[in-house]
Amino acid sequence: MAKLQAIRGMNDILPAQTSTWQALEAAFHRVVNRFGYQEIRFPVLEQTQLFKRSIGEVTDIVEKEMYSFDDRNGDNLSLRPEGTAGCVRAADQHGLLYNQQQRLWYQGPMFRHERPQKGRYRQFQQFGVEAFGMSGPDIDAELIQLSADLWRELDIAEALVLQINNIGASAERKAFGAALTAYLEAHSERLDDDARNRLYSNPLRILDSKNPDMQALLAEAPVLADYVSEESVSHFEELKALLSNAGVAFEVNPRLVRGLDYYNNCVFEWVTDSLGAQGTVCGGGRYDGLVEQLGGKPTVAAGFAMGAERLVLMLETLDKVPQQVPTSLYIVVPNGLAKEAQSLAATLRGEMPEQRIISHCGGGKPASQLKRAFSLGARYAILLDSEGLDQGVVRLRELKDGGEEATLTLDEAPVQIAQRLLRA
Ligand code: ATP
Ligand code: MG
């Protein structure tokens, strides 16, 4: 029978890589804690309507990328393609938003039916941060500083550039969109298929085009900056001042619009050229209208999300993968000594709970057990034998460096081993 395979674009993450993932997760947790953000968890499945009403009907995500289906009750549900909509839904449903400030974070899998390629998958992991009830640029600057702190924590800050833009309010974008459409209509013979499709439904997305011909055409197009209100311009100027004051370098990219409809005023992305085409590792901005749009009381908000796979790829590409924690001790167990081995292992683990201690299972010759200890990179092995146990001693062998052997009494073994492990 043919073996079943994972679904295309949905990755298995194997033990050789999970330590990198864990280090990334731990770094993210340290940083969000440091800034006083609290975790929120919400389901991977929601009503499809939630995503249509938040991300926007005429976006790549909702038009082409969602995993949607009717469940057994006939409800149309979708696997979440991003976290903000579900986060807002959950926070509002449980009364966390009205007249309050919240600093929240989440992490988990997201699902988009895209063409799988390096850095682009159909199930991928996002870390996200959302802040509610704070209207000023101070919170925008805080969110960006938090992300910058994570890059420092991961030692990849040098490889990332911050791009920011002011996209104004939705009415302003609409007016700009009309002007952009008029300009592009006048050059309709130069439009590619994608631009033609977007011309009336979502012209701003054409700004995002990766096609050099479109970018050339856009060089002469109207610019969004001329359409945004003075109020949002001054918000943006204050944000820039706050970033400069915090020592966070940025580039203003007037083409940056982001692919989700709910954003307003300042938006940002962290981009790298170390990953090829999939260079955006983190994106976010303000979304002051979303809570109300989803039926809640008006609540200002801002947030961002980052793609964990792309960060893992960056860590690998830049050779910043954290060292694996080695096995500290491997207990070699001759046949018949399982009981003694397991009680010794229990004592040792009780004495040094942070150390990785493996007690051999499954029998076999001591020599081949030792080989296994070496292949795991264990630092020490305990060689049990019944003669020694009768006399109340065990042999401890160093597997690195000199390979020295010491005989320890069972009583002193925990302390002696703990000391040796700490010394190195
Ligand atoms: P892109 O322009 O690369 O398609 P996006 O604008 O669709 O990104 P967002 O919806 O803002 O991305 O999601 C935030 C982050 O999640 C992205 O910057 C990226 O790091 C990651 N991400 C988005 N889609 C995928 C995917 N299909 N596979 C892996 N990571 C992804
Ligand atoms: Mg996308």
Side-chain angles (χ1 to χ4, degrees):
M1 220 194 320
K3 277 193 206 170
L4 295 172
Q5 304 271 318
I7 296 167
R8 211 163 97 80
M10 301 201 175
N11 298 318
D12 302 309
I13 301 169
L14 304 179
Q17 258 199 329
T18 44
S19 58
T20 307
W21 279 81
Q22 287 169 0
L24 174 60
E25 286 158 5
F28 178 71
H29 297 164
R30 280 197 298 278
V31 172
V32 285
N33 266 323
R34 191 179 291 160
F35 279 76
Y37 286 66
Q38 292 179 296
E39 186 182 12
I40 182 165
R41 303 188 189 197
F42 42 87
V44 293
L45 264 185
E46 298 272 0
Q47 306 276 355
T48 298
Q49 272 308 316
L50 175 69
F51 303 116
K52 288 195 172 166
R53 276 163 60 182
S54 53
I55 297 165
E57 297 262 5
V58 198
T59 54
D60 283 348
I61 294 179
V62 169
E63 280 184 338
K64 310 191 274 218
E65 298 173 359
M66 283 212 291
Y67 282 89
S68 304
F69 62 96
D70 290 332
D71 79 353
R72 288 166 197 276
N73 305 328
D75 293 325
N76 197 254
L77 308 180
S78 294
L79 283 167
R80 61 185 185 192
E82 55 103 55
T84 303
C87 179
V88 167
R89 200 268 313 134
D92 189 48
Q93 180 175 336
H94 299 285
L96 302 188
L97 298 185
Y98 184 54
N99 256 341
Q100 296 176 60
Q101 294 188 345
Q102 295 288 350
R103 286 176 164 85
L104 305 176
W105 66 267
Y106 61 83
Q107 79 181 59
M110 308 296 162
F111 303 84
R112 298 184 193 177
H113 196 275
E114 302 198 68
R115 193 168 67 76
Q117 53 196 293
K118 184 183 168 199
R120 192 175 292 288
Y121 311 104
R122 290 180 172 173
Q123 174 173 339
F124 59 99
Q125 186 91 11
Q126 278 186 346
F127 299 110
V129 168
E130 315 287 359
F132 297 97
M134 291 159 271
S135 62
D138 47 359
I139 188 65
D140 308 343
E142 176 180 295
L143 289 167
I144 290 171
Q145 280 175 273
L146 187 159
S147 53
D149 212 11
L150 180 63
W151 313 146
R152 278 193 294 276
E153 194 89 14
L154 297 170
D155 197 19
I156 56 173
E158 254 85 280
L160 284 161
V161 171
L162 172 65
Q163 299 192 340
I164 60 176
N165 192 25
N166 176 18
I167 62 169
S170 118
E172 295 153 17
R173 275 202 304 287
K174 223 175 247 162
F176 164 69
L180 185 63
T181 303
Y183 168 83
L184 294 172
E185 262 177 339
H187 299 86
S188 59
E189 75 292 344
R190 290 173 62 187
L191 299 181
D192 65 10
D193 288 347
D194 202 51
R196 211 161 271 140
N197 285 336
R198 293 260 178 263
L199 187 56
Y200 300 104
S201 56
N202 199 352
L204 267 71
R205 285 295 280 162
I206 303 174
L207 297 181
D208 233 10
S209 170
K210 307 237 155 57
N211 179 348
D213 295 339
M214 287 305 99
Q215 286 303 333
L217 179 60
L218 288 165
E220 305 292 315
V223 288
L224 181 51
D226 295 335
Y227 288 79
V228 298
S229 70
E230 251 172 63
E231 194 191 338
S232 75
V233 169
S234 73
H235 183 112
F236 194 56
E237 290 306 314
E238 275 179 64
L239 170 64
K240 289 198 276 185
L242 285 166
L243 291 176
S244 301
N245 180 60
V248 180
F250 59 84
E251 286 172 4
V252 176
N253 173 3
R255 297 274 166 74
L256 182 66
V257 287
R258 314 261 319 117
L260 301 88
D261 277 357
Y262 50 64
Y263 287 111
N264 68 287
N265 285 1
C266 32
V267 292
F268 68 92
E269 285 188 354
W270 286 97
V271 295
T272 180
D273 53 18
S274 68
L275 294 183
Q278 267 53 253
T280 305
V281 299
C282 174
R286 294 206 68 87
Y287 53 94
D288 294 320
L290 181 60
V291 177
E292 191 178 11
Q293 200 175 310
L294 290 176
K297 297 258 174 20
T299 305
V300 296
F304 68 75
M306 51 196 160
E309 282 78 4
R310 292 186 194 176
L311 288 170
V312 168
L313 275 170
M314 262 190 99
L315 292 171
E316 289 170 351
T317 309
L318 301 172
D319 215 4
K320 304 287 184 186
V321 171
Q323 291 228 310
Q324 294 243 20
V325 180
T327 300
S328 308
L329 181 67
Y330 197 96
I331 305 178
V332 171
V333 190
N335 290 333
L337 294 183
K339 240 198 308 188
E340 292 78 357
Q342 295 198 340
S343 47
L344 176 62
T347 307
L348 293 172
R349 290 188 190 114
E351 206 67 40
M352 40 192 133
E354 304 302 324
Q355 301 289 345
R356 189 172 288 184
I357 297 173
I358 298 180
S359 182
H360 184 87
C361 289
K365 292 202 188 84
S368 59
Q369 294 186 25
L370 252 185
K371 252 191 214 154
R372 183 150 175 71
F374 273 110
S375 73
L376 285 171
R379 294 168 58 192
Y380 289 93
I382 284 185
L383 307 167
L384 286 188
D385 59 79
S386 41
E387 217 172 283
L389 285 174
D390 285 345
Q391 298 163 16
V393 296
V394 292
R395 284 181 293 147
L396 179 73
R397 185 181 296 176
E398 197 172 4
L399 299 185
K400 305 243 153 121
D401 307 325
E404 264 171 56
E405 210 171 282
T407 301
L408 308 175
T409 68
L410 280 170
D411 290 342
E412 69 184 358
V415 172
Q416 289 278 337
I417 294 171
Q419 276 176 359
R420 282 176 166 81
L421 285 169
L422 284 179
R423 217 183 293 144

